[in-house]
Amino acid sequence: MPFKRPAPTPTQSNSGSESPSGSKCSSESSSPPPAKRPKMTKLLPEISVYLVQAKLDAPAIAELLTLGERHTKGVCKDAAHADVIITAISMRRRLERHVPWNIATSKAVVTPQWLRESIAHGSALPCGDYVAIEDLHDSTVQNCPDCKCKPCACSDSSTGFSSTSSPRRSAQGQDHLTSPTTSPTTTSNKPAPIPIPANLLPPDPPNVTNLAKLSYTSRYACQRASPLVCPNQDLVRELDIIRQSRALEGEERSALSYARAISAIKAYPEKIRSLKQVQKVPYIGVKISSLVEEFLDSGQISEAQKIKSSERFQTLSLFTSVYGIGPTAARRLAALGLRSLDDLEIYYGVERGAVEQNSQIVEVEEKPRQSGWKGRDKGRGKDDADGLGDSWIRVALGLREDLSKKIPRDEVEEMGRVVMRELDALEPGCVSTIVGGYRRGKPESNDVDIVFTHPDAGKVKGLCKRLVRRLHERGMVTHVMHLSGFHGHDPLRTTHWDSLEKSLTVFVLPPSSPLHAGVPVRRRLDLIFAPPEVYWTAVIGWCVPYPFVLCEIGERADGRGGQERVDHVPA
DNA sequence: TGGCAATACTG
DNA sequence: CAGTAT
DNA sequence: GCCA
């Protein structure tokens, strides 16, 4: 395996965070949206589901998980806790590999269509019509939570509207989704539908990955299939705490080892029950192996527990959650005795209005920075003596809360549309793909990464800056953390990788957007501009999660060589 | 035992 | 150059 | 911390 090519690397994006908390059946994942905004009423509030991911492709899994989270009581991590098991498997033998038979017989086991149509219908449909496995017909009918649990469409329906009637967005319960994660959005609106060159469109028909060839034993992540939600999530969560701790304490090498091991475990297709199983997983050596052993015995890892409960870890984690504060600064701040965000605000001299505590909505609209629109002060070299007086950290402190919120796919897509609309006005004919975690099928993202190009290579240069300027003028980009210029490197040996322009910004949906509600949450938005020749390579590169190992990305000139791999990138 | 991806940008 | 970010 |  060739890796280690001297060349250019796409940098990746997307932090590999975990889906957070979660005990049994989580819905809506972590951050309990204070029900302030899109007050979505669940259509199947009494039913919890379990999704067997086998035989489903990433987009379908994402779709079903999203539906499950949004409209059921919760998506269970364990079939035993669910009321309904959803699977595309039709053979008993195969199902037994994922769900113990005695469990399966005590539930309703149905096809994905049951979920889709029940939601479209507004309440649970008879499971008997969606039996996934013949042998389970009777038990499925018997265990179906049907209508009996829900007083179908009653008084309460005032708040309840069917998702299908939702004003914006049309695509929701579509069956043959056109791989929502893939289709590049074009800027073609009504007037001049500029044709997009075929080499910038996704392959049609889409490439299909032979999952059988992807084994978890592969050393390279790009050769492993990986479920969106791994069966060993609890174990992974424990190990990740140790990983984080190592990183926070500056033991990067160790952290890297944990990261690789975790990535490998995530690719392991079934629940790990014995040490023997783990030993086969790459990047699991003596130490981690012993940790896993402890986990198998006790369901937890004492070292992780200890770390998690330590004040040290909590403080460092909190501090690094501020954009711009990394492990080193966090340790230094902690060493100064600081412990809380309040401490940081005081330390960095945030003006604390009297209001602050009570009225949350203090209309803290960011004032445009005086020195141009690049939102950052320079000037003020006084308190910089200790290297920390960064006034910029104050801004980050204000952004922290918003930026820590996850972004639902709906909103990711809306952001993509909005940005595309602006770009279209600026330079018609552009093509884009939303990459990062979104493209990997994650139901929620930490940020939004979009890769752009234009069929005419000449039109790309400088576009990034222009787009950011426009977005900023229109109030959508509130901050620019970073704007990379166009380096006209020597046109020779340098591949076109370094000619990427990118900008890391903070974005907020405009009032005109259907998803704009009250005070919209500010989001991290990364814009990447690539010349057409490397467009797909860039797309791939930005979809590979950390820790990544490069593997023949870009082997084909048009970058489509990687297309087939990217649809099953590990999460 | 050496090495772990590689770079861009800021202060 | 160190630190943070992707 | 794991691999070559």
Side-chain angles (χ1 to χ4, degrees):
Chain A
M1 268 289 100
F3 77 132
K4 224 13 170 206
R5 44 182 66 203
T9 20
T11 62
Q12 61 82 77
S13 78
N14 195 76
S15 40
S17 312
E18 285 315 291
S19 56
S21 68
S23 343
K24 287 176 165 184
C25 308
S26 67
S27 74
E28 297 279 317
S29 74
S30 69
S31 53
K36 45 170 142 191
R37 196 191 337 201
K39 179 158 191 181
M40 187 76 104
T41 303
K42 296 197 172 198
L43 298 170
L44 312 175
E46 308 290 332
I47 302 175
S48 58
V49 300
Y50 175 81
L51 180 64
V52 178
Q53 296 185 26
K55 232 181 149 197
L56 290 168
D57 59 12
I61 291 168
E63 175 216 355
L64 294 168
L65 286 177
T66 304
L67 290 178
E69 282 168 2
R70 219 174 267 163
H71 290 293
T72 73
K73 188 164 135 199
V75 177
C76 302
K77 287 185 299 199
D78 187 337
H81 297 144
D83 302 312
V84 175
I85 294 174
I86 297 169
T87 181
I89 294 173
S90 59
M91 291 193 310
R92 167 176 174 165
R93 284 301 186 77
R94 180 142 184 216
L95 181 74
E96 283 182 286
R97 274 191 257 153
H98 301 86
V99 179
W101 191 246
N102 65 324
I103 302 263
T105 54
S106 67
K107 315 280 181 189
V109 181
V110 300
T111 61
Q113 214 49 27
W114 172 84
L115 181 61
R116 297 188 182 107
E117 292 182 10
S118 289
I119 288 169
H121 177 257
S123 63
L125 293 167
C127 300
D129 298 343
Y130 300 89
V131 172
I133 290 167
E134 288 238 2
D135 290 0
L136 290 173
H137 181 277
D138 294 347
S139 59
T140 292
V141 170
Q142 198 153 13
N143 297 309
C144 186
D146 267 338
C147 253
K148 59 186 171 236
C149 54
K150 176 151 196 210
C152 310
C154 298
S155 52
D156 148 278
S157 66
S158 56
T159 52
F161 52 90
S162 84
S163 68
T164 52
S165 71
S166 176
R168 74 301 196 189
R169 299 229 43 220
S170 51
Q172 173 75 343
Q174 297 185 347
D175 297 326
H176 27 273
L177 23 93
T178 61
S179 191
T181 56
T182 290
S183 51
T185 313
T186 75
T187 54
S188 60
N189 270 335
K190 43 261 155 139
I194 299 177
I196 302 173
N199 66 342
L200 292 181
L201 287 171
D204 181 32
N207 294 331
V208 174
T209 300
N210 183 348
L211 286 176
K213 287 189 179 167
L214 305 178
S215 164
Y216 66 89
T217 55
S218 298
R219 197 157 68 86
Y220 301 109
C222 58
Q223 293 176 356
R224 304 190 292 240
S226 192
L228 218 44
V229 173
C230 91
N232 299 291
Q233 222 194 300
D234 293 336
L235 170 61
V236 164
R237 200 178 300 118
E238 294 282 286
L239 291 175
D240 197 56
I241 288 168
I242 304 183
R243 182 196 61 77
Q244 289 175 30
S245 173
R246 296 288 189 272
L248 290 170
E249 297 297 356
E251 300 173 48
E252 300 173 43
R253 310 311 175 178
S254 180
L256 177 63
S257 286
Y258 280 94
R260 285 174 167 164
I262 287 167
S263 170
I265 289 174
K266 281 184 178 172
Y268 195 78
E270 45 194 294
K271 190 120 181 164
I272 293 171
R273 301 167 190 291
S274 71
L275 255 195
K276 217 173 134 187
Q277 287 175 298
V278 251
Q279 320 263 5
K280 288 188 297 190
V281 179
Y283 300 109
I284 304 281
V286 180
K287 173 67 187 284
I288 296 183
S289 183
S290 73
L291 294 174
V292 174
E293 181 176 17
E294 185 193 347
F295 180 84
L296 289 177
D297 289 342
S298 65
Q300 57 160 26
I301 296 174
S302 54
E303 185 175 351
Q305 295 299 320
K306 191 176 150 196
I307 289 169
K308 193 165 59 175
S309 59
S310 73
E311 183 185 46
R312 167 86 176 167
F313 176 74
Q314 290 168 11
T315 301
L316 296 182
S317 299
L318 179 66
F319 289 178
T320 50
S321 72
V322 178
Y323 191 97
I325 297 182
T328 306
R331 290 196 297 271
R332 197 165 54 223
L333 293 165
L336 290 173
L338 310 191
R339 292 291 179 273
S340 65
L341 290 181
D342 283 349
D343 292 343
L344 290 192
E345 293 188 343
I346 292 169
Y347 181 81
Y348 285 110
V350 171
E351 288 114 46
R352 317 178 55 86
V355 253
E356 177 74 21
Q357 287 279 349
N358 307 329
S359 55
Q360 297 285 48
I361 314 165
V362 197
E363 187 65 48
V364 190
E365 237 335 277
E366 290 303 330
K367 306 292 168 257
R369 290 314 181 230
Q370 51 282 69
S371 59
W373 46 275
K374 189 169 175 176
R376 227 132 132 184
D377 313 354
K378 348 191 114 184
R380 83 176 276 92
K382 183 39 173 127
D383 48 13
D384 280 2
D386 55 12
L388 281 180
D390 232 339
S391 64
W392 141 254
I393 296 289
R394 289 204 292 271
V395 176
L397 275 169
L399 292 169
R400 195 197 77 98
E401 196 172 349
D402 274 9
L403 300 192
S404 68
K405 292 184 173 128
K406 299 276 197 180
I407 316 171
R409 295 180 71 84
D410 261 12
E411 194 177 332
V412 174
E413 289 156 15
E414 173 64 5
M415 286 171 64
R417 282 190 295 271
V418 168
V419 172
M420 221 30 211
R421 193 152 53 230
E422 296 305 319
L423 180 57
D424 189 39
L426 211 54
E427 188 61 73
C430 287
V431 176
S432 74
T433 299
I434 302 176
V435 294
Y438 172 85
R439 190 162 192 270
R440 296 203 306 272
K442 288 175 62 169
E444 299 182 307
S445 306
N446 298 310
D447 58 16
V448 177
D449 311 288
I450 309 180
V451 174
F452 302 87
T453 193
H454 190 286
D456 177 352
K459 298 254 172 87
V460 175
K461 198 169 84 161
L463 245 196
C464 185
K465 212 173 224 177
R466 289 207 286 147
L467 176 61
V468 171
R469 185 198 286 114
R470 181 183 173 96
L471 291 173
H472 182 260
E473 283 165 352
R474 309 193 136 216
M476 290 177 236
V477 159
T478 61
H479 300 76
V480 181
M481 349 281 289
H482 165 85
L483 179 58
S484 90
F486 24 69
H487 332 275
H489 276 277
D490 65 302
L492 283 182
R493 70 150 259 149
T494 172
T495 28
H496 300 246
W497 262 114
D498 44 15
S499 53
L500 293 183
E501 294 177 17
K502 77 179 169 184
S503 181
L504 320 182
T505 73
V506 176
F507 176 93
V508 59
L509 283 173
S512 59
S513 168
L515 287 191
H516 177 100
V519 184
V521 179
R522 288 165 295 183
R523 309 295 198 179
R524 279 281 291 97
L525 170 70
D526 292 357
L527 307 172
I528 298 107
F529 283 79
E533 316 88 77
V534 298
Y535 177 66
W536 284 107
T537 310
V539 168
I540 308 288
W542 250 271
C543 289
V544 182
Y546 182 85
F548 40 76
V549 179
L550 299 181
C551 47
E552 307 195 61
I553 283 178
E555 58 188 331
R556 272 173 59 175
D558 61 4
R560 293 224 242 144
Q563 176 72 37
E564 66 182 53
R565 296 192 188 92
V566 86
D567 285 333
H568 296 276
V569 184

